[in-house]
Amino acid sequence: QVQLVESGGGLVQAGGSLRLSCVVSGSIFSINTMGWYRQAPGKQRELVAVISSTMSTNYADSVKGRFTVSRDNAKKSMFLQMNSLKPEDTAVYYCNLKFPGGVYWGQGTQVTVSS
């Protein structure tokens, strides 16, 4: 059974930094895409960043230049380094994993940025 567990969320002041982690357990297909999504209160879940198993990345315009996604395939882990955080980055951040035959989500981790 595939499970994703996020960690690293918390409360930070505007301009600060946080690093989120996502660890995958269970058997997964080696060719896959992992991503971070977020959902703020009253809003739809949105893409933040994705990274393929070949390390190709893509970011939402709102986080380009501030956030960096990375992964360690050997440890089945993914990370999101978030710098220059803004109050509008406040949301629950979810880890996502996609591969042929499967789409999986983590339980989410809360990120709160105070002004």
Side-chain angles (χ1 to χ4, degrees), residues 44-77:
Q44 289 189 332
R45 191 173 297 188
E46 62 177 3
L47 172 70
V48 175
V50 293
I51 182 167
S52 72
S53 48
T54 58
M55 306 301 176
S56 174
T57 60
N58 193 27
Y59 296 90
D61 288 342
S62 59
V63 306
K64 282 181 181 177
R66 300 188 298 122
F67 290 10
T68 302
V69 63
S70 60
R71 62 187 287 172
D72 184 331
N73 287 335
K75 296 183 178 180
K76 292 193 291 186
S77 298

mmCIF file of all heavy atoms in Angstrom, residues 44-77:
data_model
loop_
_atom_site.group_PDB
_atom_site.id
_atom_site.type_symbol
_atom_site.label_atom_id
_atom_site.label_comp_id
_atom_site.label_asym_id
_atom_site.label_seq_id
_atom_site.Cartn_x
_atom_site.Cartn_y
_atom_site.Cartn_z
ATOM 1 N N GLN A 44 -9.851 26.601 -4.247
ATOM 2 C CA GLN A 44 -9.598 25.285 -4.813
ATOM 3 C C GLN A 44 -8.141 24.898 -4.612
ATOM 4 O O GLN A 44 -7.257 25.757 -4.499
ATOM 5 C CB GLN A 44 -9.936 25.283 -6.305
ATOM 6 C CG GLN A 44 -11.422 25.359 -6.609
ATOM 7 C CD GLN A 44 -11.724 25.143 -8.078
ATOM 8 O OE1 GLN A 44 -10.902 25.441 -8.939
ATOM 9 N NE2 GLN A 44 -12.895 24.619 -8.379
ATOM 10 N N ARG A 45 -7.888 23.615 -4.599
ATOM 11 C CA ARG A 45 -6.519 23.125 -4.520
ATOM 12 C C ARG A 45 -5.788 23.515 -5.809
ATOM 13 O O ARG A 45 -6.324 23.383 -6.903
ATOM 14 C CB ARG A 45 -6.496 21.607 -4.331
ATOM 15 C CG ARG A 45 -5.145 21.047 -3.988
ATOM 16 C CD ARG A 45 -5.237 19.567 -3.637
ATOM 17 N NE ARG A 45 -6.049 19.333 -2.452
ATOM 18 C CZ ARG A 45 -6.158 18.153 -1.847
ATOM 19 N NH1 ARG A 45 -5.485 17.102 -2.312
ATOM 20 N NH2 ARG A 45 -6.924 18.014 -0.780
ATOM 21 N N GLU A 46 -4.558 24.000 -5.656
ATOM 22 C CA GLU A 46 -3.805 24.458 -6.815
ATOM 23 C C GLU A 46 -2.410 23.853 -6.830
ATOM 24 O O GLU A 46 -1.838 23.540 -5.785
ATOM 25 C CB GLU A 46 -3.691 25.991 -6.831
ATOM 26 C CG GLU A 46 -2.948 26.577 -5.649
ATOM 27 C CD GLU A 46 -2.781 28.091 -5.738
ATOM 28 O OE1 GLU A 46 -3.290 28.706 -6.696
ATOM 29 O OE2 GLU A 46 -2.115 28.645 -4.842
ATOM 30 N N LEU A 47 -1.875 23.738 -8.031
ATOM 31 C CA LEU A 47 -0.524 23.232 -8.198
ATOM 32 C C LEU A 47 0.491 24.261 -7.707
ATOM 33 O O LEU A 47 0.359 25.448 -8.003
ATOM 34 C CB LEU A 47 -0.265 22.927 -9.669
ATOM 35 C CG LEU A 47 1.166 22.553 -10.047
ATOM 36 C CD1 LEU A 47 1.514 21.189 -9.501
ATOM 37 C CD2 LEU A 47 1.353 22.597 -11.559
ATOM 38 N N VAL A 48 1.499 23.790 -6.974
ATOM 39 C CA VAL A 48 2.605 24.647 -6.553
ATOM 40 C C VAL A 48 3.841 24.322 -7.390
ATOM 41 O O VAL A 48 4.443 25.202 -7.987
ATOM 42 C CB VAL A 48 2.906 24.458 -5.059
ATOM 43 C CG1 VAL A 48 4.135 25.273 -4.649
ATOM 44 C CG2 VAL A 48 1.696 24.841 -4.212
ATOM 45 N N ALA A 49 4.220 23.051 -7.413
ATOM 46 C CA ALA A 49 5.411 22.637 -8.150
ATOM 47 C C ALA A 49 5.343 21.142 -8.397
ATOM 48 O O ALA A 49 4.774 20.408 -7.577
ATOM 49 C CB ALA A 49 6.677 22.978 -7.363
ATOM 50 N N VAL A 50 5.916 20.717 -9.509
ATOM 51 C CA VAL A 50 6.008 19.293 -9.811
ATOM 52 C C VAL A 50 7.430 18.961 -10.229
ATOM 53 O O VAL A 50 8.156 19.818 -10.740
ATOM 54 C CB VAL A 50 5.027 18.838 -10.912
ATOM 55 C CG1 VAL A 50 3.596 18.955 -10.439
ATOM 56 C CG2 VAL A 50 5.255 19.617 -12.187
ATOM 57 N N ILE A 51 7.798 17.703 -10.000
ATOM 58 C CA ILE A 51 9.113 17.231 -10.408
ATOM 59 C C ILE A 51 8.985 15.783 -10.855
ATOM 60 O O ILE A 51 8.378 14.961 -10.164
ATOM 61 C CB ILE A 51 10.134 17.391 -9.257
ATOM 62 C CG1 ILE A 51 11.518 16.939 -9.710
ATOM 63 C CG2 ILE A 51 9.685 16.676 -7.985
ATOM 64 C CD1 ILE A 51 12.636 17.364 -8.739
ATOM 65 N N SER A 52 9.553 15.492 -12.012
ATOM 66 C CA SER A 52 9.482 14.139 -12.545
ATOM 67 C C SER A 52 10.638 13.299 -11.993
ATOM 68 O O SER A 52 11.569 13.823 -11.369
ATOM 69 C CB SER A 52 9.534 14.173 -14.067
ATOM 70 O OG SER A 52 10.845 14.519 -14.481
ATOM 71 N N SER A 53 10.578 12.021 -12.281
ATOM 72 C CA SER A 53 11.655 11.132 -11.837
ATOM 73 C C SER A 53 12.960 11.418 -12.578
ATOM 74 O O SER A 53 14.024 10.967 -12.144
ATOM 75 C CB SER A 53 11.245 9.668 -12.010
ATOM 76 O OG SER A 53 10.697 9.446 -13.292
ATOM 77 N N THR A 54 12.867 12.168 -13.677
ATOM 78 C CA THR A 54 14.078 12.606 -14.398
ATOM 79 C C THR A 54 14.493 14.006 -13.987
ATOM 80 O O THR A 54 15.336 14.612 -14.622
ATOM 81 C CB THR A 54 13.848 12.569 -15.918
ATOM 82 O OG1 THR A 54 12.727 13.411 -16.233
ATOM 83 C CG2 THR A 54 13.569 11.155 -16.396
ATOM 84 N N MET A 55 13.868 14.533 -12.915
ATOM 85 C CA MET A 55 14.220 15.832 -12.322
ATOM 86 C C MET A 55 13.757 17.032 -13.144
ATOM 87 O O MET A 55 14.222 18.148 -12.906
ATOM 88 C CB MET A 55 15.719 15.946 -12.024
ATOM 89 C CG MET A 55 16.257 14.835 -11.185
ATOM 90 S SD MET A 55 15.401 14.727 -9.578
ATOM 91 C CE MET A 55 16.177 13.275 -8.883
ATOM 92 N N SER A 56 12.861 16.821 -14.059
ATOM 93 C CA SER A 56 12.261 17.952 -14.757
ATOM 94 C C SER A 56 11.271 18.629 -13.806
ATOM 95 O O SER A 56 10.484 17.951 -13.133
ATOM 96 C CB SER A 56 11.546 17.462 -16.010
ATOM 97 O OG SER A 56 10.842 18.515 -16.625
ATOM 98 N N THR A 57 11.288 19.958 -13.745
ATOM 99 C CA THR A 57 10.444 20.678 -12.795
ATOM 100 C C THR A 57 9.538 21.693 -13.486
ATOM 101 O O THR A 57 9.819 22.160 -14.595
ATOM 102 C CB THR A 57 11.288 21.419 -11.750
ATOM 103 O OG1 THR A 57 12.140 22.370 -12.408
ATOM 104 C CG2 THR A 57 12.148 20.462 -10.948
ATOM 105 N N ASN A 58 8.475 22.041 -12.777
ATOM 106 C CA ASN A 58 7.567 23.073 -13.250
ATOM 107 C C ASN A 58 6.960 23.741 -12.023
ATOM 108 O O ASN A 58 6.677 23.065 -11.020
ATOM 109 C CB ASN A 58 6.467 22.483 -14.131
ATOM 110 C CG ASN A 58 5.710 23.550 -14.875
ATOM 111 O OD1 ASN A 58 6.240 24.621 -15.162
ATOM 112 N ND2 ASN A 58 4.454 23.275 -15.201
ATOM 113 N N TYR A 59 6.777 25.058 -12.104
ATOM 114 C CA TYR A 59 6.289 25.814 -10.947
ATOM 115 C C TYR A 59 5.096 26.692 -11.317
ATOM 116 O O TYR A 59 4.984 27.175 -12.445
ATOM 117 C CB TYR A 59 7.393 26.739 -10.413
ATOM 118 C CG TYR A 59 8.598 26.031 -9.863
ATOM 119 C CD1 TYR A 59 9.681 25.716 -10.675
ATOM 120 C CD2 TYR A 59 8.665 25.700 -8.515
ATOM 121 C CE1 TYR A 59 10.797 25.074 -10.164
ATOM 122 C CE2 TYR A 59 9.781 25.061 -7.987
ATOM 123 C CZ TYR A 59 10.836 24.752 -8.823
ATOM 124 O OH TYR A 59 11.949 24.121 -8.307
ATOM 125 N N ALA A 60 4.260 26.938 -10.341
ATOM 126 C CA ALA A 60 3.227 27.953 -10.503
ATOM 127 C C ALA A 60 3.909 29.323 -10.581
ATOM 128 O O ALA A 60 4.939 29.547 -9.926
ATOM 129 C CB ALA A 60 2.267 27.921 -9.317
ATOM 130 N N ASP A 61 3.341 30.212 -11.367
ATOM 131 C CA ASP A 61 3.943 31.537 -11.529
ATOM 132 C C ASP A 61 4.086 32.248 -10.189
ATOM 133 O O ASP A 61 5.046 32.998 -9.975
ATOM 134 C CB ASP A 61 3.091 32.390 -12.472
ATOM 135 C CG ASP A 61 3.195 31.943 -13.918
ATOM 136 O OD1 ASP A 61 4.152 31.211 -14.253
ATOM 137 O OD2 ASP A 61 2.317 32.317 -14.716
ATOM 138 N N SER A 62 3.154 32.010 -9.284
ATOM 139 C CA SER A 62 3.142 32.725 -8.010
ATOM 140 C C SER A 62 4.315 32.357 -7.093
ATOM 141 O O SER A 62 4.601 33.082 -6.140
ATOM 142 C CB SER A 62 1.827 32.463 -7.274
ATOM 143 O OG SER A 62 1.653 31.076 -7.035
ATOM 144 N N VAL A 63 4.978 31.232 -7.375
ATOM 145 C CA VAL A 63 6.072 30.803 -6.494
ATOM 146 C C VAL A 63 7.422 30.772 -7.193
ATOM 147 O O VAL A 63 8.443 30.494 -6.554
ATOM 148 C CB VAL A 63 5.778 29.423 -5.868
ATOM 149 C CG1 VAL A 63 4.432 29.428 -5.158
ATOM 150 C CG2 VAL A 63 5.848 28.309 -6.904
ATOM 151 N N LYS A 64 7.446 31.026 -8.486
ATOM 152 C CA LYS A 64 8.712 30.993 -9.231
ATOM 153 C C LYS A 64 9.716 31.967 -8.618
ATOM 154 O O LYS A 64 9.377 33.103 -8.300
ATOM 155 C CB LYS A 64 8.471 31.344 -10.697
ATOM 156 C CG LYS A 64 7.890 30.210 -11.514
ATOM 157 C CD LYS A 64 7.690 30.621 -12.971
ATOM 158 C CE LYS A 64 7.094 29.481 -13.777
ATOM 159 N NZ LYS A 64 6.815 29.882 -15.179
ATOM 160 N N GLY A 65 10.936 31.493 -8.450
ATOM 161 C CA GLY A 65 11.988 32.316 -7.880
ATOM 162 C C GLY A 65 12.019 32.303 -6.364
ATOM 163 O O GLY A 65 12.978 32.789 -5.754
ATOM 164 N N ARG A 66 10.991 31.767 -5.733
ATOM 165 C CA ARG A 66 10.941 31.713 -4.262
ATOM 166 C C ARG A 66 10.963 30.273 -3.738
ATOM 167 O O ARG A 66 11.535 30.010 -2.679
ATOM 168 C CB ARG A 66 9.671 32.402 -3.747
ATOM 169 C CG ARG A 66 9.574 33.872 -4.132
ATOM 170 C CD ARG A 66 8.400 34.551 -3.424
ATOM 171 N NE ARG A 66 7.113 33.972 -3.779
ATOM 172 C CZ ARG A 66 6.263 33.457 -2.904
ATOM 173 N NH1 ARG A 66 6.550 33.427 -1.612
ATOM 174 N NH2 ARG A 66 5.084 32.955 -3.309
ATOM 175 N N PHE A 67 10.327 29.371 -4.464
ATOM 176 C CA PHE A 67 10.226 27.978 -4.036
ATOM 177 C C PHE A 67 11.105 27.104 -4.926
ATOM 178 O O PHE A 67 11.230 27.363 -6.138
ATOM 179 C CB PHE A 67 8.798 27.477 -4.139
ATOM 180 C CG PHE A 67 7.824 28.072 -3.148
ATOM 181 C CD1 PHE A 67 8.160 29.161 -2.347
ATOM 182 C CD2 PHE A 67 6.555 27.539 -3.022
ATOM 183 C CE1 PHE A 67 7.262 29.699 -1.447
ATOM 184 C CE2 PHE A 67 5.638 28.062 -2.121
ATOM 185 C CZ PHE A 67 6.001 29.155 -1.344
ATOM 186 N N THR A 68 11.655 26.043 -4.337
ATOM 187 C CA THR A 68 12.446 25.080 -5.088
ATOM 188 C C THR A 68 12.025 23.665 -4.702
ATOM 189 O O THR A 68 12.046 23.308 -3.513
ATOM 190 C CB THR A 68 13.940 25.252 -4.806
ATOM 191 O OG1 THR A 68 14.343 26.584 -5.134
ATOM 192 C CG2 THR A 68 14.753 24.266 -5.643
ATOM 193 N N VAL A 69 11.646 22.884 -5.697
ATOM 194 C CA VAL A 69 11.264 21.494 -5.468
ATOM 195 C C VAL A 69 12.446 20.597 -5.808
ATOM 196 O O VAL A 69 13.181 20.865 -6.769
ATOM 197 C CB VAL A 69 10.013 21.118 -6.283
ATOM 198 C CG1 VAL A 69 10.256 21.215 -7.784
ATOM 199 C CG2 VAL A 69 9.508 19.738 -5.899
ATOM 200 N N SER A 70 12.624 19.555 -5.021
ATOM 201 C CA SER A 70 13.700 18.595 -5.274
ATOM 202 C C SER A 70 13.234 17.224 -4.802
ATOM 203 O O SER A 70 12.202 17.105 -4.130
ATOM 204 C CB SER A 70 14.981 19.007 -4.545
ATOM 205 O OG SER A 70 14.773 19.063 -3.144
ATOM 206 N N ARG A 71 13.991 16.208 -5.162
ATOM 207 C CA ARG A 71 13.617 14.864 -4.746
ATOM 208 C C ARG A 71 14.843 13.987 -4.639
ATOM 209 O O ARG A 71 15.877 14.257 -5.258
ATOM 210 C CB ARG A 71 12.588 14.250 -5.687
ATOM 211 C CG ARG A 71 13.045 14.065 -7.099
ATOM 212 C CD ARG A 71 11.906 13.608 -8.019
ATOM 213 N NE ARG A 71 11.544 12.207 -7.772
ATOM 214 C CZ ARG A 71 10.482 11.619 -8.330
ATOM 215 N NH1 ARG A 71 9.672 12.303 -9.122
ATOM 216 N NH2 ARG A 71 10.233 10.351 -8.084
ATOM 217 N N ASP A 72 14.697 12.931 -3.874
ATOM 218 C CA ASP A 72 15.738 11.909 -3.729
ATOM 219 C C ASP A 72 15.076 10.588 -4.089
ATOM 220 O O ASP A 72 14.334 10.014 -3.283
ATOM 221 C CB ASP A 72 16.259 11.905 -2.283
ATOM 222 C CG ASP A 72 17.407 10.936 -2.078
ATOM 223 O OD1 ASP A 72 17.474 9.919 -2.803
ATOM 224 O OD2 ASP A 72 18.229 11.170 -1.183
ATOM 225 N N ASN A 73 15.335 10.116 -5.309
ATOM 226 C CA ASN A 73 14.653 8.907 -5.783
ATOM 227 C C ASN A 73 15.022 7.684 -4.938
ATOM 228 O O ASN A 73 14.175 6.828 -4.679
ATOM 229 C CB ASN A 73 14.992 8.661 -7.246
ATOM 230 C CG ASN A 73 14.308 9.646 -8.174
ATOM 231 O OD1 ASN A 73 13.265 10.212 -7.852
ATOM 232 N ND2 ASN A 73 14.912 9.883 -9.332
ATOM 233 N N ALA A 74 16.263 7.610 -4.516
ATOM 234 C CA ALA A 74 16.699 6.458 -3.724
ATOM 235 C C ALA A 74 15.959 6.370 -2.389
ATOM 236 O O ALA A 74 15.675 5.285 -1.887
ATOM 237 C CB ALA A 74 18.200 6.534 -3.478
ATOM 238 N N LYS A 75 15.611 7.529 -1.833
ATOM 239 C CA LYS A 75 14.910 7.567 -0.547
ATOM 240 C C LYS A 75 13.421 7.797 -0.708
ATOM 241 O O LYS A 75 12.699 7.950 0.286
ATOM 242 C CB LYS A 75 15.512 8.662 0.338
ATOM 243 C CG LYS A 75 16.957 8.403 0.723
ATOM 244 C CD LYS A 75 17.485 9.474 1.652
ATOM 245 C CE LYS A 75 18.922 9.179 2.070
ATOM 246 N NZ LYS A 75 19.461 10.224 2.982
ATOM 247 N N LYS A 76 12.956 7.799 -1.975
ATOM 248 C CA LYS A 76 11.528 8.024 -2.262
ATOM 249 C C LYS A 76 11.018 9.228 -1.476
ATOM 250 O O LYS A 76 9.991 9.162 -0.772
ATOM 251 C CB LYS A 76 10.715 6.760 -1.948
ATOM 252 C CG LYS A 76 11.029 5.599 -2.891
ATOM 253 C CD LYS A 76 10.021 4.470 -2.784
ATOM 254 C CE LYS A 76 10.120 3.752 -1.489
ATOM 255 N NZ LYS A 76 9.245 2.561 -1.425
ATOM 256 N N SER A 77 11.736 10.325 -1.613
ATOM 257 C CA SER A 77 11.384 11.546 -0.886
ATOM 258 C C SER A 77 11.363 12.739 -1.825
ATOM 259 O O SER A 77 12.057 12.763 -2.844
ATOM 260 C CB SER A 77 12.407 11.816 0.221
ATOM 261 O OG SER A 77 12.433 10.770 1.169
#
